Amino acid sequence: MSVPYVLFVVTNAAVIGPNNRPTGFFFPEIAHPFAVLDRAGVAVEFCSPLGGRPPEDGFDADDAEQTAFLDTKAYRRLGRSRRLAEVDVVDYDAVFVPGGLGPMVDITGNPEVQDTVRRAWDAGLIVSAVCHGPSAFLGVTLADGSPFVRGRKLTSFSTAEEDGYADKDVPFDLEAALRAEGALYTATEPWHPQLVVDGRLITGQNPQSGSLVGEALVDALKRV
């Protein structure tokens, strides 16, 4: 039985917005899903639009899973992420886009990312994201010309969460943009865990939802 593989698509953006707010991927949104996947024997590979070391944000030294991730070979590999253009997503079983504010800069509207999401879906892979990661789905159209998210149940960082957190920094409101493309969007209270699974589409609302996304990926990969 072959080992299942998940491709993490990570941001290279280190700043965002008119005030040049420092950003990157949000550390727990990689560390928490990775911990769940690793315990289940699922392999992970990292890529980013430019390759190399993705910038980090939100590290919490009091979080045991985050500090443990620093000592893994996976963290070393993350520091040498492959260029997305050099990766073929159909070589994997699932694709996952972690959040942080960075994806709003270089993941959203990126033709290579959009093509990765489209090809993954068309190939029958599991497609997943957390927090601002679902911004990768915006602008993705299927073969019939319809938006990828139209009619699909999902979640992401909510308008209520963005208000007062980064609404002055992000270029658009993610919840509103997903709804505008026809997503069947739901969210729970701000900063509470929320997981939405719609077939092969797995999404989490916020940093508190990373482990839930990892668990859902493990469950889905068992059925591949």
Side-chain angles (χ1 to χ4, degrees):
M1 183 176 176
S2 62
V3 174
Y5 261 85
V6 179
L7 179 67
F8 281 40
V9 181
V10 186
T11 180
N12 292 116
V15 295
I16 186 172
N19 301 310
N20 291 320
R21 175 173 175 162
T23 188
F25 72 86
F26 208 64
F27 206 91
E29 294 173 21
I30 287 184
H32 289 174
F34 170 78
V36 174
L37 294 168
D38 190 55
R39 286 193 293 267
V42 177
V44 168
E45 184 160 10
F46 302 97
C47 70
S48 58
L50 301 178
R53 187 175 188 83
E56 302 172 4
D57 189 19
F59 175 73
D60 181 359
D62 293 327
D63 181 339
E65 285 196 335
Q66 292 186 51
T67 56
F69 181 60
L70 292 173
D71 294 326
T72 64
K73 291 181 179 179
Y75 181 68
R76 289 172 54 85
R77 293 196 304 273
L78 173 60
R80 297 185 295 275
S81 69
R82 296 178 63 187
R83 285 185 60 229
L84 178 57
E86 299 171 351
V87 174
D88 190 343
V89 70
V90 299
D91 292 337
Y92 301 85
D93 301 292
V95 62
F96 169 67
V97 186
L101 298 178
M104 301 284 275
V105 177
D106 66 343
I107 297 295
T108 308
N110 184 315
E112 289 180 345
V113 174
Q114 292 173 333
D115 185 61
T116 295
V117 172
R118 183 185 306 108
R119 294 188 72 241
W121 191 258
D122 288 346
L125 275 62
I126 300 158
V127 174
S128 58
V130 69
C131 198
H132 289 88
S135 66
F137 305 153
L138 294 170
V140 176
T141 55
L142 301 179
D144 62 2
S146 64
F148 168 64
V149 300
R150 181 184 293 169
R152 301 194 193 282
K153 299 174 184 177
L154 53 71
T155 190
S156 74
F157 205 61
S158 66
T159 301
E161 288 166 320
E162 203 75 87
D163 288 348
Y165 173 72
D167 54 307
K168 302 296 191 297
D169 301 294
V170 294
F172 60 90
D173 181 74
L174 180 54
E175 175 183 336
L178 290 166
R179 289 183 183 277
E181 290 196 6
L184 304 180
Y185 181 95
T186 57
T188 189
E189 297 176 60
W191 310 107
H192 284 67
Q194 165 86 334
L195 173 74
V196 175
V197 179
D198 187 357
R200 292 185 286 116
L201 181 62
I202 298 171
T203 51
Q205 180 174 327
N206 47 33
Q208 290 74 19
S209 308
S211 294
L212 294 179
V213 171
E215 292 164 2
L217 276 167
V218 170
D219 290 342
L221 288 165
K222 291 175 181 177
R223 298 191 292 272
V224 171

